[in-house]
Amino acid sequence: MGLATPTAIMAGIGTGAKHGILIKNAEALQKFSKIDTLVLDKTGTITLGKPVVTDYAGSDEMSHIQILASLEQNSEHPLAHAIANYACDKQISLLPVHDRKIAKGQ
C-alpha cells in the first residue's frame, strides 16, 4: 500500500508528459484533481503547443544561455528545446559537450 500513491502520481506525471503536459510536482497534480472549471487565455504554451523562453532575468545572459543551451542541445525534453531555440534566436554559439549522459526520468 505504501507505494500505491507515489506510483500513481508518477504514472500520472509520465502520462501527462507523453501528451505534452508538463506537471510541476505531485502536489500540483493532486490539486488539479479538485478543479471543476479551468479558464485559459490564448497565450503562451496553450497557443503554441510548446514551451518557449520569453525572458532572461539575471546577469551575463549570453554566457549563461550559452552554457545552458550547449548542455541541452541534444536533449529530447521540451524545455531543453525551448532553451536551445532561445539561444538560436539570440544567435548565441554553442559550446562542444563531451561525455554527456541522459538519465531518463530524473
Side-chain angles (χ1 to χ4, degrees), residues 6 8 12 16 25 44 46 50-52 60 72-73 79 91 94 101:
N25 55 36
I46 301 303
K50 61 181 180 177
V52 176
D60 202 8
E72 299 290 8
Q73 65 184 320
L79 297 180
Q91 298 180 339
L94 302 182
K101 293 183 176 128

Side-chain angles (χ1 to χ4, degrees), residues 70-94:
S70 296
L71 292 170
E72 299 290 8
Q73 65 184 320
N74 294 318
S75 174
E76 297 175 2
H77 196 281
L79 297 180
H81 287 250
I83 293 168
N85 289 339
Y86 184 77
C88 182
D89 292 345
K90 295 279 187 177
Q91 298 180 339
I92 298 172
S93 61
L94 302 182

Side-chain angles (χ1 to χ4, degrees), residues 21 55 63:
I21 300 168
D55 297 299
S63 176

